[in-house]
Structure formats: C-alpha cells, structure tokens
Amino acid sequence: MENKKTSFLPREGEAQPSRCPDNSAFKQQRLPAWKPQLTIASVLSSFFLTGAFCLTVGVCLVLSANSVREIQIDYSDKCSDCSKLRENSSNWNKECHCSVNFTLKEDILGDVFMYYGLQNFYQNHRRYVISRSDAQLLGRNVNIQRSSCAPFSTYGNGTPMAPCGAIANSMFNDTIDLFYNRNSSMIQVPLLKTGNSWWTDKNVKFRNPESYNLSSAFAGTARPPYWQKPVYLLDEEDERNNGYVNDDFIVWMRVSAFATFRNLYRRVRRVRHFAEGLPAGNYTFHISYNFPVTRFKGRKHVILSTVVWSGGSNPFLGIAYLVSGTAATLTGFVITGIHLKLRKKKTYFQKQ
C-alpha cells in the first residue's frame, strides 16, 4: 500500500485563502461610537475639578473624625494577676476579677459605644478563617466531622462541639461593667447588649435549632474547650439573645482583616443620669477576666467612643481623599506648565 501524504499548502496557481475578517461594520469596527475630543481645556478641568472635590470631601471627613470623643484604656497590665491565672489552662473554672479606674474630664454627649480591642491577635490566618460550619450556625443537623472545624469539631468520646471551629472556640469572653462614682456612691451605667450586630447576621446567617427550648435543642452536644458555659446559656435573661443568635457571639464570628482590631461590645442606655451621655467624673471598669492573651503577646483594651455621620474615629478615609485631591491638583498644574512651555516654543518657531 502506498502512503499518501496530504499537503495543506496551496498549489501553484491557486489563490491563498484570506484570513482577514469579513467586510462588515461590526468586524471592521465601523459602528457608531462616541469618541471624546481631549482638548487642553477639558483635561485641565477634569483634573482641577477632581482635585477640588477630593480635597473638600477629605477636609470634611478629617474634621468629622477629629470631632469624635474617645477614651481608650489598656487593662492588660492592670489585670496582671488575672492574666497569670489564665496562663494555666487548668484554671479555666476559677473566676478572677479586677478593676480599672479612670476619669472623664469633660462630658461625652450623645450616644456612647463600648468596644473591646485586641492587639496582635491574627484572625486572618487561612485555617482560622475557614474553621467554622455555616450550616451548623443556621441550626441545621449536620455532620460536623465533614466540615472544616477540625480539630475543634468533636471530643474524644465523639460528642460534637456546638458551635464548632477555631473561631467560636476563641471567642472573647471577658465581662466588662461600667460604674459611675457619684457623691461617694457607685452607680452602674446601664448598658445595652442587643442591637450591636448586623441585621443580616441576626436574622439571616444565624439560627438556633428548632425545639421547644434551647437546652433540648443542643442536647447531645458540648461547649467548645475554652468556653466556661454552653452556648444555650450565653444570655439566660433574654431568649432572643441566646444560643447562636447571641449578639456577642455574632460580632465575634465576623473576623477581622488586621491583627489589631476592635469589636462593638455594648451601648450606653441613655436613661436617668446618662440621658445626655456620660457626665464628667470618676468611673470604674469592673472586669471578669477570662480571655488569655499572654501566649500570643497580645494586649486588651476597652474603648468608650461616640460616632458621627462618617463613622467612628478613623481618619484614614479622609487622608486618602486629601492625598488623591492633592495628587490630582498637582498633576493639573504640571500639565498646565508643560502646555504653556510648548505653546511658547511653538509660537517662537512660527515667528522664525
């Protein structure tokens, strides 16, 4: 048999097929289109208007951020005895309390928010971020051994943890109360512990298992190792703030992108002596110290702050606008200088 080889090269005298696109308005890009005419007037106007807008917004944001009243107290060293107690994990069931005194020289008027802050606590580690079961947090009956919760999924005897995962296990569990020292008497500042989480989290992403009561809903499960009480006892006073829908738990489960962060803890209830905010005077934080930070060389803070229309005390966005506005304005001046120089040179050669 003969081996016949097929050649794809055109024979002599044959026309080579064209690879050009069809002669149509679409393939030849002849469709009607708007083409901006970049004149020197339009370019300079764009830069200067953008710069003026960014500078104006930046100044407003910086002034707004600077008007926020904020006091921040680091209680890591002031509660050093409790910190040493928590270094030993066998003391998890022993209570430890400490107090921190401070003074407000001026009234803090308006809504006052209490935050807890952590330093050098990395919530952005990949394995930490995925260590949770969203299906379990929706109240579904799932096999958490197939989830990403390991090693905080089950105990050695097979009892599942509720909730499972490293995020839930490391939940911030210090209890912070605020007292106002007035006329030699201590008045506890009323604090709101609900309404601090996002509506979508509270009503969509988190659900308790369906049952006639929470203790039976979580029957057959156990608390995470670092917790002092089960999930259905997070708030025994308010059934709507218990279990997986507890505000403190929901706020903690939204992890931070940075190693230093703050989470909303409480809001001052504006009644009686605190109807206008926090009056000037002496105050005391009573802290039930439970959250250990020594192993990762962390620090703990408690922050009292107000908010404005632009948010809390964070000037980053205002500074970003100022930098962008300054860069746009300087670019406009540079282009203006280049244009004047070239126009002067062109006029000179035309005269020659």
Side-chain angles (χ1 to χ4, degrees), residues 193-194 231-239 241-243 246:
K193 55 185 176 181
T194 58
V231 65
Y232 55 86
L233 295 180
L234 290 180
D235 190 353
E236 301 179 66
E237 300 176 357
D238 188 356
E239 186 75 14
N241 190 44
N242 206 355
N246 178 263

Side-chain angles (χ1 to χ4, degrees), residues 50-71:
T50 302
F53 173 78
C54 292
L55 290 174
T56 303
V57 175
V59 170
C60 293
L61 290 174
V62 170
L63 293 177
S64 177
N66 291 336
S67 66
V68 173
R69 293 292 309 280
E70 180 177 296
I71 179 171

Side-chain angles (χ1 to χ4, degrees), residues 11-24:
R11 300 178 181 178
E12 294 183 3
E14 292 184 357
Q16 186 175 359
S18 175
R19 302 181 63 184
C20 295
D22 296 337
N23 187 21
S24 64

